Amino acid sequence: MQDINEIIQRRRAIFPKTYLPGKPIDKAIIEQLLENAHWAPTHRLTEPWRFQVFHSLESRQALSDMMVDFYKRNTPAESFSEEKMKKSGDNPLLSGAVIALVMQRDPEARIPEWEEIAAVAMAVQNMWLSCTAIGLGCYWSSPRAALEADDFLTLEPGQRCLGLFYLGWHDMPQLPGKRGPIAEKTIWR
Ligand SMILES: Cc1cc2nc3c(=O)[nH]c(=O)nc-3n(C[C@H](O)[C@H](O)[C@H](O)COP(=O)(O)O)c2cc1C
């Protein structure tokens, strides 16, 4: 119990600007993360998680370009900033890998959509805790550029992108967590 308590409480969102540049993530590690994701609970065994891995520099560059283009197309002239535009594509290039998080709706809609989104979120938590266990930084990001990237990701019918999972090695000290008391959110009946 102590082992899992420690990993759960040590888990943090670690952002790409703190990732060590040029330190690659082995494909085998990413495969293990995906395998752990795959063991999340899933109502009716729909296994609604789909993942698109951007590992090579070329693929991360394409993701970055898409995000810059999204900023250009969706930012009104009065709030447009050249600097923000450039920055909008930084994260994929600062990361060792990025995983697009996609939910596949059950074609027969045997369970409500929220249960499939919940199952994908549990799969993400499995990856996040696995990263924590091996000291790999990561975080779930949900920018509009990703949520509306159906064309870029060539999503199939019933698929919906729920965000991007950034990954990278880091040497940051343990960040303190911020949570209120659980007792305030609990009623014992
Ligand atoms: C579904 C989901 C979407 C998130 N999207 C973003 C995001 O777009 N930008 C961001 O900075 N953090 C995002 N986060 C990460 C949270 O900001 C982070 O978990 C929170 O600050 C608590 O920090 P901790 O995870 O280190 O405890 C997201 C988390 C979840 C679960």
Side-chain angles (χ1 to χ4, degrees):
M1 186 70 166
Q2 249 181 347
D3 289 349
I4 193 153
N5 292 349
E6 193 263 337
I7 292 172
I8 289 172
Q9 291 177 27
R10 200 156 50 78
R11 184 211 54 78
R12 290 290 169 277
I14 312 273
F15 300 102
K17 61 178 181 224
T18 66
Y19 297 165
L20 298 170
K23 190 167 175 199
I25 304 170
D26 285 350
K27 189 175 177 203
I29 289 181
I30 300 171
E31 284 171 339
Q32 183 68 66
L33 296 176
L34 297 170
E35 188 60 35
N36 289 357
H38 203 42
W39 285 98
T42 157
H43 192 184
R44 294 246 193 169
L45 295 177
T46 60
E47 301 180 18
W49 38 82
R50 299 291 181 273
F51 302 110
Q52 295 194 19
V53 183
F54 296 82
H55 192 201
S56 68
L57 177 58
E58 192 189 3
S59 67
R60 286 182 289 111
Q61 183 68 59
L63 182 60
S64 163
D65 293 346
M66 179 279 285
M67 292 170 84
V68 170
D69 187 54
F70 185 92
Y71 181 89
K72 275 193 219 159
R73 285 187 291 106
N74 291 280
T75 310
E78 59 274 17
S79 51
F80 188 91
S81 134
E82 196 76 23
E83 201 192 329
K84 278 192 186 155
M85 180 191 76
K86 279 188 197 141
K87 279 197 153 182
S88 65
D90 277 357
N91 281 349
L93 300 173
L94 294 169
S95 303
V98 189
I99 302 177
L101 306 167
V102 176
M103 183 273 303
Q104 170 71 60
R105 184 78 177 107
D106 177 39
E108 294 162 48
R110 287 172 299 161
I111 57 169
E113 186 187 39
W114 76 263
E115 295 198 44
E116 300 194 300
I117 295 171
V120 175
M122 300 193 90
V124 175
Q125 176 77 336
N126 280 1
M127 294 200 286
W128 209 325
L129 294 176
S130 304
C131 287
T132 306
I134 58 167
L136 184 60
C138 64
Y139 102 102
W140 184 344
S141 171
S142 44
R144 263 186 67 205
L147 305 183
E148 298 174 22
D150 299 40
D151 290 341
F152 174 76
L153 296 171
T154 57
L155 294 189
E156 292 174 14
Q159 293 189 345
R160 175 173 159 192
C161 181
L162 301 179
L164 300 172
F165 194 61
Y166 288 107
L167 299 153
W169 296 109
H170 71 100
D171 58 4
M172 300 259 291
Q174 176 63 34
L175 296 167
K178 291 181 211 148
R179 295 292 186 277
I182 185 60
E184 286 177 8
K185 290 127 186 155
T186 312
I187 299 172
W188 291 78
R189 299 245 184 224

